[in-house]
Amino acid sequence: FKSFDGTEVQGFLIKPPYFNRTKKYPAILEIHGGPYAQYAYSFFHEMQLLAAQGFVVLYINPRGGAGRGETWAAAIKDGWGDLDYKDCMTAADYMEKLSYVNPKRMGVTGGSYGGYMTNWIIGHTHRFKAAVTQRSVVDLFSFLGTSDVGFTINREFDGYPWTNPENYKKCSPLTYFKNVKTPVLIIHNELDLRCDIEQARQMFLKLKLLKKKVEMKR
């Protein structure tokens, strides 16, 4: 499909078993990790499982990922939450317009960077009925000191938190949680070295204190 500026974005669509085009199905938008990763023509158990539960699943490769050259991968450098978010919203537009999708029953999910983008989305739009964020990132300031790749974060955000705090705050989903209206489930593993569980704890506590609808599976 074409994004807001005419850029083609790739996606893969899985329909439930015994698909009936005349029915209206709930749907899920799934966002990959990385961001330097991609979905491809390969088996992924998570999407198959969701489809088996009766969901239409659209999983996409927004800008910032791998597989389409260095310019594509670098498109979100110093500005996570801009072009990648817009690509995701265009994907949601595409999914919403499918005749067999119930636009009032769309959810969003993703893990790692996909969890970051799920967190970003619920702070910037209320269009999704529910969100599931998996092994996610919410606070870029603490991510530097708790992730096994945190020491490389300066490459993505034009410096370190102490040299460019404005960009770290702007690009951290935690900054926008006062806007959240979407019910959210947090899933996080205690032994995740890439996205430490402190990220999930921060998210859970802030949403609780803001009296948002949130549950956490640890």
Side-chain angles (χ1 to χ4, degrees):
F1 56 90
K2 290 187 184 297
S3 191
F4 73 101
D5 59 356
T7 301
E8 281 201 346
V9 178
Q10 184 185 48
F12 301 87
L13 192 73
I14 298 184
K15 300 169 185 174
Y18 312 110
F19 174 74
N20 182 344
R21 184 171 287 275
T22 64
K23 286 181 61 176
K24 291 281 189 180
Y25 292 91
I28 296 173
L29 176 67
E30 179 118 16
I31 306 160
H32 67 64
Y36 301 120
Q38 65 174 325
Y39 290 132
Y41 293 101
S42 58
F43 177 80
F44 203 123
H45 71 280
E46 188 169 315
M47 290 70 159
Q48 298 288 342
L49 178 62
L50 291 170
Q53 300 300 316
F55 293 97
V56 169
V57 186
L58 176 63
Y59 50 108
I60 62 167
N61 290 324
R63 272 171 279 195
R68 293 181 66 176
E70 292 182 4
T71 301
W72 182 270
I76 65 171
K77 190 174 181 294
D78 301 335
W80 289 18
D82 183 15
L83 291 176
D84 43 1
Y85 170 70
K86 291 173 181 175
D87 286 350
C88 289
M89 290 303 95
T90 310
D93 292 340
Y94 174 87
M95 189 166 70
E96 191 175 73
K97 292 173 184 173
L98 294 172
S99 62
Y100 46 83
V101 164
N102 183 344
K104 295 182 178 179
R105 297 189 66 200
M106 298 198 327
V108 61
T109 191
S112 195
Y113 164 79
Y116 167 94
M117 186 49 58
T118 300
N119 300 339
W120 184 271
I121 284 170
I122 62 174
H124 289 81
T125 181
H126 312 311
R127 71 186 301 174
F128 293 99
K129 186 73 172 176
V132 179
T133 184
Q134 309 173 48
R135 58 198 179 279
S136 74
V137 177
V138 291
D139 181 26
L140 295 172
F141 289 94
S142 63
F143 181 78
L144 180 143
T146 57
S147 172
D148 64 347
V149 296
F151 63 91
T152 67
I153 198 172
N154 62 302
R155 303 173 190 171
E156 292 298 316
F157 299 101
D158 192 25
Y160 292 104
W162 54 89
T163 62
N164 193 357
E166 295 82 7
N167 200 36
Y168 277 76
K169 182 178 181 181
K170 177 175 71 77
C171 293
S172 290
L174 199 69
T175 304
Y176 308 97
F177 278 180
K178 64 182 182 298
N179 303 326
V180 171
K181 293 183 180 178
T182 309
V184 57
L185 171 64
I186 303 166
I187 302 175
H188 213 113
N189 192 303
E190 291 182 355
L191 301 181
D192 195 317
L193 302 179
R194 183 61 38 88
C195 304
D196 194 274
I197 197 167
E198 64 88 16
Q199 296 282 312
R201 292 171 64 187
Q202 284 198 70
M203 181 175 185
F204 181 70
L205 182 59
K206 185 164 185 178
L207 289 173
K208 274 291 186 184
L209 291 173
L210 289 170
K211 303 188 185 312
K212 307 299 183 178
K213 194 168 185 179
V214 57
E215 294 183 10
M216 180 172 168
K217 177 68 174 176
R218 180 172 180 148

